[in-house]
Amino acid sequence: MHTFYIETFGCQMNAHDSEKVTGTLLTEGYSQVETPEQADLILYNTCSIRDKAEQKVFHRLQQFKKDAGKGKVFAVLGCVAQQEGEKIFERAPHVSLVAGSASYAKLPQMLVQLQAGNRRVTGLSFDAEETFETPFTRRDNPHRAYITIIEGCDKACAYCVVPFTRGPERSRTGESVLREAGELGRMGYTDIQLLGQNVNSYRDPSPAGWDFSRLLRAMGEVEGIRRVRFTTSHPRDFVKDIIDAIDDNPVLCNHVHLPVQSGSNAVLARMRRMYTRDDYMRRIDWMKNARRNISITSDIIVGFPGESEADFEATLSLLDTVEYDSVFSFKYSKRPNTSALELEDHIPEEEKSRRLAIVQERQRAIQIRRNAELVGTVEETMIEGFNQATGQWIGRTSQNRTLNFMHAAHPGPTEGETLTGSYLNVRVTRAGPNSLAGEAVN
Ligand code: 5AD
Ligand code: SF4
């Protein structure tokens, strides 16, 4: 068992966990391969946020059932592993390892058990009070890096499986976050994304006791780091000082993802979000009144149990009022263990689909308008690559928008010289619903 293949589903937390798992496996002497066919050990790092995400891993496992006898070892990691636990062995008997994110620090011991021939290895407890940190993280991108600052979630949103799959909140010390950021800066990384299920409730466990905005301000001073983003925020814990920090330091990106979920107070209460529409709008006003032009994005759930037509209209009116720069919208999906299962008046699937389509159409029109406002402006862009098909460089702005552009002096990548990872000013000349297009300045 010396080669491994890993496939990742779900959020950025999972993507970063896979970087840590990969680093750990490489350190243990495994080598990574590009296809499951080549691998002795196949790992799926799974997501269970909605039922559709959860089903993906079972489809994958089904595809490879026939290979189980051919000496391959299958591992299910992440949120589905934590949620379903040993039941996975019954549903997919060719799986040999089931482990949730709180157990990855014990991965080396679990690998030893696998190598000893144990075919029912589990890591499912939340007893590790340490967040999963490893010196071996193998990052996918040489310019942009994730840093976990807080794991788990102590909220109890009625629809959400995350408190069950990622456990209670555990923050890292500010000192260790800054040390990792400093090392990344010295290694040539310039763009850092701070990760947590709820970064706003970050609280340094050391005597320093930093809150999130204090950590953000310190992150803005790390040598070599030009951009710092963070995700995800929770409106209840989102304080004005975060906006003041962004206003004070251009290294902190002018983008905030602040999921609202619904525009109706009745639905927000049933969701147990612990804020009202007015509370939420106060936070939006802080951002709109900031000195910097802060891009605001959100998540919306349609068809939560009991969502009336009037509740749904309230969500649409919120979209019109806020004018988000981007929105991820979802149909409510029943999740195991969550309190929303006990609510009455579940909405039919077709009605959820109808509402979702309306939200997406409404938001698309808003984005066309919002993006058009940027035509003529000059945006600092980090180059992420080159699109051969269109002959354009792909860039990202501080607001987290994709900006594709032509570059007269560098029409394309040349041997031995790469622009990827560098920063360039680009004038916006055109706007679509999901991206901008432009030309490099001088
Ligand atoms: N059904 C639909 N969407 C959900 N989300 C979380 N749980 C559910 C669920 N049960 C959405 C929320 C959250 C995003 C990450 O996923 O909008 O912000
Ligand atoms: Fe999916 Fe949530 Fe787990 Fe991320 S934390 S992988 S979104 S279930």
Side-chain angles (χ1 to χ4, degrees), residues 49-50 159-161 259 261 299-301 328 330-335:
I49 195 82
R50 286 167 292 275
Y159 51 81
C160 189
V161 80
Q261 314 299 357
D299 294 341
I300 298 282
I301 296 177
F328 297 103
F330 311 100
K331 293 189 266 183
Y332 167 71
S333 167
K334 287 186 187 174
R335 304 313 294 134

Side-chain angles (χ1 to χ4, degrees), residues 74-85:
F74 289 84
V76 177
L77 307 179
C79 293
V80 177
Q82 194 67 53
Q83 177 190 295
E84 296 298 302

Side-chain angles (χ1 to χ4, degrees), residues 25-85:
L25 287 165
L26 293 170
T27 307
E28 294 293 314
Y30 287 74
S31 55
Q32 188 169 14
V33 292
E34 295 300 315
T35 67
E37 286 77 11
Q38 297 166 283
D40 307 313
L41 172 62
I42 298 173
L43 308 111
Y44 295 115
N45 191 6
T46 61
C47 173
S48 68
I49 195 82
R50 286 167 292 275
D51 188 56
K52 238 201 220 153
E54 177 177 345
Q55 294 318 318
K56 279 188 193 152
V57 64
F58 292 106
H59 286 143
R60 284 290 191 286
L61 288 167
Q62 202 63 34
Q63 284 167 13
F64 285 100
K65 214 170 181 172
K66 57 182 187 320
D67 283 331
K70 296 190 196 155
K72 288 191 195 299
V73 171
F74 289 84
V76 177
L77 307 179
C79 293
V80 177
Q82 194 67 53
Q83 177 190 295
E84 296 298 302

Side-chain angles (χ1 to χ4, degrees), residues 181-210:
E183 281 163 15
L184 290 167
R186 282 190 289 281
M187 287 161 70
Y189 288 89
T190 59
D191 180 320
I192 286 183
Q193 183 153 2
L194 302 176
L195 294 181
Q197 288 303 330
N198 177 3
V199 289
N200 307 145
S201 66
Y202 172 83
R203 177 62 72 171
D204 186 341
S206 79
W210 287 4

Side-chain angles (χ1 to χ4, degrees), residues 306-355:
E307 183 187 67
S308 67
E309 192 59 36
D311 292 324
F312 176 61
E313 290 291 334
T315 295
L316 294 177
S317 88
L318 184 89
L319 293 183
D320 289 340
T321 311
V322 178
E323 296 198 289
Y324 290 109
D325 294 286
S326 171
V327 165
F328 297 103
S329 49
F330 311 100
K331 293 189 266 183
Y332 167 71
S333 167
K334 287 186 187 174
R335 304 313 294 134
N337 306 313
T338 58
S339 66
L341 291 177
E342 289 149 32
L343 295 175
E344 284 169 14
D345 197 11
H346 282 264
I347 312 285
E349 208 50 36
E350 315 80 78
E351 179 56 20
K352 287 188 214 166
S353 299
R354 187 187 73 87
R355 293 181 188 181

Side-chain angles (χ1 to χ4, degrees), residues 9-31:
F9 304 91
C11 63
Q12 289 144 323
M13 301 281 285
N14 256 21
H16 187 38
D17 281 347
S18 286
E19 294 180 333
K20 298 181 198 175
V21 167
T22 297
T24 304
L25 287 165
L26 293 170
T27 307
E28 294 293 314
Y30 287 74
S31 55

